[in-house]
Amino acid sequence: MEYDILAKVTGFLYSPGSLGKNLSKVARLIVDSFPFDQCAIYLWDEEHRLFRLKALQGVQKGSVETYREKEGIPGLVKKQRAVVEVHTPSQDDVSWEGVEDRGLFGFRSAVVYPLREGHRWHGMVYLKSSKRLNLPARKRRILEFLIFQVSCVLKYNKMFRNLRKAYEELKKMQAQVLIAERLLPLGEMAATLAHEIKNPLISIGGFAGRLARKLPHDSPYMPYVKNILNEVERLDEIMKGIVSISKREEPKFYREDINSIVNESLDFFNEVCRIHDIKMIKRGDREPIYAMVDRAQLRVAFDNLISNAIQSMEKGGILKINTYKKDRWVVVEISDSGGGIEPGVEKNIFNPFFTTKEDGTGLGLAITNTIVKKHGGRIDLKNEIGVGATFSVRLPHHKP
Amino acid sequence: MKKRILVVDDEEGLRFLYKEELEDEGYSVELAASGEEALQKLEKDSIDLVVLDIKMPGMDGVEVLRLVKQKWKDLPVILCTAYPHYKHEFGSWASDAYIVKSSDLTELKDTIKDILGKR
Ligand SMILES: Nc1ncnc2c1ncn2[C@@H]1O[C@H](COP(=O)(O)OP(=O)(O)OP(=O)(O)O)[C@@H](O)[C@H]1O
Ligand SMILES: [Mg+2]
């Protein structure tokens, strides 16, 4: 009979299936094999610092969902870090030696076992009996052994969860490394490949251009030629993009006023904004804000962000640019009122070749991100769906 | 007298394109497929300007530029490259102009006109 209990509990605890289910089976076994009317197993929630009911077997009365750290008999167990055995004069009593616990209502005796390992708490087992309890020493030892087994299982469970968390994190990190690795060889290959492709491309485009000039304007073949020219230009843009994210192009850093670069970029888009009915608002520090940057590359970065913003506001809107110093950063914020980026799209926008635009290369943000990273900075996105997107570029500030 | 331009590029299609385009502009155009061939042509013919590709198998454009400038100090050379990042490396230290190749040859034509006009 006793051997039976031990064999069973081991079977329950180490069987596959959810922890909650296995603990329920153990609780059932305790109620069936010992003179208790209720067995409640609680798990310790470290974050909220309370015990939470995980499994309950036997009668339902007087069951309590959670116990705060210092609440009731479990609170006492937590404090004393030892088993507490309670006997009350009648079933109506809900306090024992000054400790109140509504879980005692309807019972005469209770035993609460801590489930812990040194300072690390896993939970507790709350056993109640409606009659006064008198457990023979031998039975008590078996019960203790059983509880010890539960404790072990909880420990393994926690270890397993930690392991799984570490694994998930590792997997996430690996994904990031993969992206970086995908970009690297791309960059290596790009420079060579781009050179191989560029020359034939110039030939194609050059001769198509000659045709366009030599053909009569109303020639029916004109659209064919125009098509070739457009596609060549697109390919050329893509190749330029690939070359510029390739590793070979190292930035040359000089101390520059970020405001002046931003303003140049805004000047460049002034006309486009006017045509598309976009209001441009420049805010922030007027005086120079310095950072060590490659002026030409940073201009490309701002151009890409501003052109994305403008493209998101086809029917007009507001383009807000804010530049300021914050701690050791120079921050440039570019916001649009173009409705933001769809949830499914957002995670991809920095990937090379990802685009939702008919004629996009999908390299704009990939390039921008690479440039900003090379400068020791980073890009943050505040995406307000239905409202607009704000891209903030942070660059290390350079003291004058 | 027509001005003579020597175009040096390892890509046949490009040599052909440059020839057609520059002849339309009223120049006479000589072609060379390599640095070695270019140097031979320069020895034989009188050339007014060289359009030189940087990236070529064998002797590359920078090497050719060095040899040309050693021997014909005043001969103008326009360096061409597929992508702008060479610019930092070679700058304009020895060539008379530096151009990023494009299927639109306007920039090249303007530069040639500019340089030859000054002489
Ligand atoms: N301000 C923005 N508002 C809404 N969507 C944006 C914004 N900026 C970027 N996106 C989304 O991110 C995608 C990727 O942008 P990215 O600049 O990399 O490429 P692209 O703009 O599509 O192509 P290209 O830059 O060559 O024109 C865009 O296609 C668009 O879906
Ligand atoms: Mg873009």
Side-chain angles (χ1 to χ4, degrees):
Chain A
M1 158 66 189
E2 285 153 6
Y3 171 78
D4 233 34
I5 296 174
L6 294 181
K8 264 193 191 145
V9 76
T10 315
F12 290 161
L13 280 172
Y14 293 92
S15 70
S18 80
L19 181 69
K21 254 193 209 140
N22 292 350
L23 289 179
S24 281
K25 283 188 201 156
V26 174
R28 180 81 251 159
L29 184 71
I30 291 176
V31 174
D32 289 348
S33 322
F34 297 90
F36 293 108
D37 301 298
Q38 184 184 81
C39 171
I41 303 179
Y42 289 80
L43 295 187
W44 173 244
D45 178 343
E46 180 70 35
E47 192 190 336
H48 300 96
R49 302 205 71 79
L50 42 82
F51 291 103
R52 272 182 207 288
L53 184 63
K54 186 74 183 178
L56 177 76
Q57 290 292 335
V59 297
Q60 296 287 313
K61 64 178 174 181
S63 71
V64 177
E65 270 299 318
T66 57
Y67 281 98
R68 272 172 283 118
E69 188 166 13
K70 296 192 174 103
E71 191 182 353
I73 305 297
L76 195 66
V77 172
K78 178 88 173 38
K79 190 171 144 215
Q80 296 183 347
R81 302 168 58 203
V83 191
V84 171
E85 193 166 331
V86 176
H87 301 283
T88 55
S90 85
Q91 291 193 354
D92 300 334
D93 276 297
V94 289
S95 77
W96 177 80
E97 294 195 348
V99 180
E100 223 175 283
D101 188 338
R102 64 206 150 91
L104 293 174
F105 184 77
F107 299 100
R108 287 282 318 270
S109 294
V111 194
V112 181
Y113 285 95
L115 299 170
R116 69 181 175 93
E117 214 203 323
H119 287 284
R120 189 170 302 190
W121 279 81
H122 300 309
M124 51 140 190
V125 180
Y126 204 151
L127 304 168
K128 302 172 192 172
S129 161
S130 32
K131 289 187 226 90
R132 206 189 143 83
L133 182 74
N134 189 3
L135 208 58
R138 191 180 162 78
K139 270 222 138 165
R140 192 176 288 264
R141 271 209 305 282
I142 290 170
L143 181 63
E144 277 162 12
F145 179 78
L146 205 149
I147 298 222
F148 172 72
Q149 286 284 308
V150 174
S151 192
C152 282
V153 163
L154 290 180
K155 175 179 149 190
Y156 289 135
N157 191 266
K158 189 170 269 172
M159 272 164 61
F160 178 72
R161 266 184 314 186
N162 285 345
L163 209 70
R164 188 154 63 192
K165 214 167 96 194
Y167 171 73
E168 298 284 331
E169 262 161 37
L170 220 69
K171 229 167 63 179
K172 234 190 263 163
M173 264 161 63
Q174 191 199 19
Q176 281 166 4
V177 170
L178 275 179
I179 289 175
E181 273 180 356
R182 207 170 66 201
L183 272 175
L184 265 188
L186 175 67
E188 287 286 299
M189 233 171 65
T192 332
L193 190 72
H195 276 94
E196 297 307 318
I197 290 180
K198 176 88 182 207
N199 284 332
L201 210 56
I202 294 171
S203 276
I204 298 169
F207 285 112
R210 281 181 70 72
L211 270 181
R213 267 174 279 132
K214 307 266 165 182
L215 278 176
H217 273 296
D218 52 357
S219 159
Y221 303 120
M222 204 50 144
Y224 303 168
V225 177
K226 284 271 150 70
N227 208 313
I228 298 175
L229 282 173
N230 283 341
E231 296 297 347
V232 165
E233 197 180 323
R234 207 163 80 94
L235 269 178
D236 197 39
E237 282 301 309
I238 294 177
M239 296 319 291
K240 257 194 239 151
I242 295 178
V243 170
S244 75
I245 44 175
S246 85
K247 217 176 56 172
R248 286 203 200 168
E249 192 164 333
E250 286 304 323
K252 305 244 185 314
F253 297 110
Y254 295 102
R255 184 167 169 266
E256 304 274 4
D257 170 20
I258 300 303
N259 259 329
S260 77
I261 304 177
V262 172
N263 285 333
E264 258 177 34
S265 193
L266 289 177
D267 282 346
F268 180 73
F269 287 103
N270 215 342
E271 186 59 18
V272 185
C273 282
R274 205 184 53 75
I275 293 169
H276 288 90
D277 205 17
I278 292 167
K279 193 170 168 210
M280 202 185 256
I281 302 175
K282 170 79 170 60
R283 289 230 185 88
D285 295 358
R286 294 235 171 257
E287 67 268 24
I289 325 179
Y290 292 105
M292 294 298 288
V293 302
D294 182 314
R295 199 181 173 92
Q297 288 202 4
L298 218 59
R299 172 68 199 281
V300 170
F302 293 145
D303 280 1
N304 282 338
L305 293 175
I306 293 173
S307 89
N308 280 348
I310 291 174
Q311 284 164 4
S312 78
M313 300 185 284
E314 279 192 328
K315 299 194 181 73
I318 297 171
L319 172 68
K320 271 192 229 153
I321 316 291
N322 198 359
T323 55
Y324 55 89
K325 267 181 312 206
K326 189 173 182 232
D327 307 326
R328 44 185 209 92
W329 300 103
V330 176
V331 186
V332 178
E333 283 174 4
I334 295 161
S335 328
D336 60 65
S337 59
I341 304 163
E342 279 168 45
V345 165
E346 190 183 326
K347 62 179 190 300
N348 294 317
I349 58 171
F350 289 103
N351 287 343
F353 304 112
F354 175 83
T355 181
T356 57
K357 297 168 192 169
E358 187 114 350
D359 56 353
T361 65
L363 287 169
L365 285 177
I367 291 169
T368 303
N369 200 24
T370 311
I371 292 175
V372 172
K373 278 207 183 128
K374 277 185 187 167
H375 282 80
R378 65 162 214 254
I379 302 179
D380 295 305
L381 167 63
K382 197 174 116 216
N383 184 25
E384 287 174 277
I385 293 164
V387 184
T390 301
F391 285 85
S392 339
V393 176
R394 261 164 210 268
L395 299 165
H397 176 235
H398 187 264
K399 295 215 172 50
Chain B
M1 241 278 277
K2 274 189 184 173
K3 298 274 186 189
R4 283 170 83 98
I5 296 178
L6 173 65
V7 173
V8 192
D9 200 305
D10 58 316
E11 197 91 13
E12 192 186 350
L14 283 193
R15 290 198 300 274
F16 183 31
L17 176 68
Y18 281 40
K19 187 173 163 69
E20 297 279 293
E21 289 273 298
L22 294 178
E23 280 178 357
D24 277 4
E25 297 292 303
Y27 303 112
S28 114
V29 178
E30 291 294 319
L31 299 176
S34 69
E36 290 83 354
E37 197 186 337
L39 293 172
Q40 282 168 18
K41 281 242 157 83
L42 283 172
E43 292 282 359
K44 275 193 277 163
D45 306 324
S46 86
I47 299 285
D48 296 300
L49 183 144
V50 181
V51 175
L52 183 59
D53 184 24
I54 289 186
K55 201 176 158 289
M56 289 186 293
M59 205 191 292
D60 75 0
V62 180
E63 178 71 12
V64 179
L65 175 68
R66 198 173 59 78
L67 295 174
V68 170
K69 286 289 177 180
Q70 261 174 19
K71 217 160 181 179
W72 299 279
K73 211 160 105 299
D74 296 325
L75 177 62
V77 178
I78 298 175
L79 268 184
C80 298
T81 181
Y83 291 102
H85 59 270
Y86 275 113
K87 207 160 187 161
H88 309 293
E89 291 161 40
F90 311 114
S92 45
W93 53 265
S95 72
D96 298 78
Y98 179 93
I99 273 180
V100 177
K101 284 183 179 180
S102 157
S103 52
D104 180 358
L105 295 187
T106 317
E107 192 190 354
L108 178 66
K109 290 176 197 164
D110 288 349
T111 312
I112 294 175
K113 210 192 273 169
D114 226 43
I115 293 175
L116 291 179
K118 279 189 197 132
R119 308 216 157 213

